[in-house]
Amino acid sequence: MSDKCDDQTVHASQETTQAAEASAGKADGNVNARSEESVAVPAIRKPVWLKIFGHDLTAPLLLLLLSLVLFVPGQWTVPPLDRDEPRFTQATKQMLETDDYIDIRFQDQARHKKPVGIYWLQAAAAKLTGQNADAPLWVYRLPSVIGSVVGVLATFWMARAFMGPAGALLVSGFVALAIIVGVEARLAKTDAVLFATIVIAQGALARIWLKNQGERMWGMGLLFWTALAGSVLIKGPVGPMVVGLTVVGLMLLRRKLAWFKAASPILGFVWFLLLVSPWFVAIWIATDGTFFTEAIGKDLLGKVGQGQEGHGAPPLTHLGAMFGVFWPLPAFFLIALPLIWRERKSPLVVFAIAWFVPSWIVFELVTTKLPHYTMPLLPALALPVAAALMEGAGTTTRNWLRWIAAILLALPAIGVAAASFAGPFVLGVWPSPPGAVLVALGAVFAVAAAARLLRGPALYALPAVTMTAICVAIGVWGFVGPALTPIWVSPRLVQALDEIPGCEDREMRQVVTSGFHEPSFIFLEGTQTRIISPKGAAEFLAQDDSSSPGVCRVAAIESREEQPFLDAAKEIGLVPEARKRVDGLNINGGDDVDIALYQNAKSVTGTENSNDEQQ
């Protein structure tokens, strides 16, 4: 496969020498050699947009702009998504409150699951924006959105090791458009930053492997081991697993070991240890070793052996999920597959296989399966697809394969459009007009892209696909999602607390909750919010506050715990008064919730009983 193209044609390289491989990325071509069994593909005309942006200066600028358009909508308006995101943000918030940046805690509970890297980045974001512990949610999400943008740009740099800027633009474009990358860009947790560190490490590894010489590449080696250390501080063994399996795969596929000497493995590993060991030593001392018992013995091995938190699934689940979370790439992969197979011995395809296949097998064998687990493999799949598109993939594709690809391309956007319109009615609210219009427009663009896919080279369908992704991202994250008020129970619960007379000042507000334990409520209401039993909630409201004038005590009681709460209140002579009610749908499990905000009737003076129900 070659990305060497002029204004009229895309020429296939007939032979590739070792010297050409060493100089890959300098010319507007890749290091892939045509195999002898390759069937000629008609040359295609290079689109105008690719002529303009397929350069080392313009391509990164376009990718930066595209990433911001795709990733920024919803950062301010989408509330915390239970349960992982608020667990991370609350732990970071407590670091800022206590100035303890070693131990990781969620309220009084030790959170010994992931290393400290993402918490430090979130804390740095809060400090740099001048917000500190009371920073709004979008501040905690900054590392994720920045990590996603860096991941897109790093993908371009990684692909330049194999091909010219036009092809590399396609590779990184597929990464930016992927649904899973857009989701992780909006979640204040580990995966977007982890993705960036892995892609950087793989970009350095590609250059080390392509040179295929024993000479040290000090710059690439330093970058490789530094990025690998960063991945460990973010999410433990995931980065070394993906990168390490790639190294092993390359050694097995080419039956050569000496090339890895260029990475300075001994000195590099020492540097790696110097970067990661200080915090690991500190957390060992601070927790007397229990961090490693929990993180490795329970969290990591628990994910491998059993489905944690109901996320277990059989093998091949990730393969099925990829058709959705990697959209729009799978459709183009089907179109490109025949050409990729013909070029399976080329350096580009060999590197992609070594990156993708071993780690994918591991992810399929691990019992716990979540859609974002395979995100580090996305560039490996995009790399040969982009090269095939530059070669004219889709020009001679069989009709039945075109139709399957077209359906894969159009169906998700049509489904999102239908859900954006019908979903709000199911929840009892009106659809967001601008959101519904934008997502519907995205579906129209998706149908146009699918139609273009049926008519010729797949490369020409990319502009319509890009417009689909932009419309859907802005429509769903900017309008449709925030308008689904019934599922945002925690923000409405905090708003109801703010509206209770005498409880407006959060500094003087003491809140307990029984039956509704979502981490998002803890993060939004404050670290002091306590999860408690119905009996404990009644005793909490009965406490005498005469020594602390101005204190507002409220118990949030979910309807399933309401009768035990009322029975306990009767036993101790408490007369509780329901001040507000908030109902909705808990998206974790899909259960309806109905929460009453109770106060001690004796402490309520000068206000009228208002059992308001918030829809």
Side-chain angles (χ1 to χ4, degrees), residues 81-84 518-520 585-591:
L81 292 166
D82 285 306
R83 296 185 171 100
D84 271 357
E518 293 303 329
S520 57
L585 177 70
N586 189 344
I587 56 176
N588 292 295
D591 297 327

Side-chain angles (χ1 to χ4, degrees), residues 368-394:
T368 302
K369 291 181 175 66
L370 288 169
H372 61 266
Y373 282 6
T374 57
M375 191 168 76
L377 310 184
L378 174 62
L381 203 60
L383 193 61
V385 172
L389 294 186
M390 294 298 297
E391 290 280 343

Side-chain angles (χ1 to χ4, degrees), residues 143 155 168 239 291 321 364 529:
T155 299
F291 173 87
E364 290 287 12
T529 307

Side-chain angles (χ1 to χ4, degrees), residues 66 77 133 252 560 589 600:
L66 178 63
T77 55
L252 293 176
R560 295 171 182 80
N600 187 339

Side-chain angles (χ1 to χ4, degrees), residues 30 43 125 136 158 226 263 284 377 445 504 560 599:
N30 62 26
M158 178 276 298
T226 302
W284 178 284
L377 310 184
F445 279 117
E504 300 88 349
R560 295 171 182 80
Q599 285 187 289

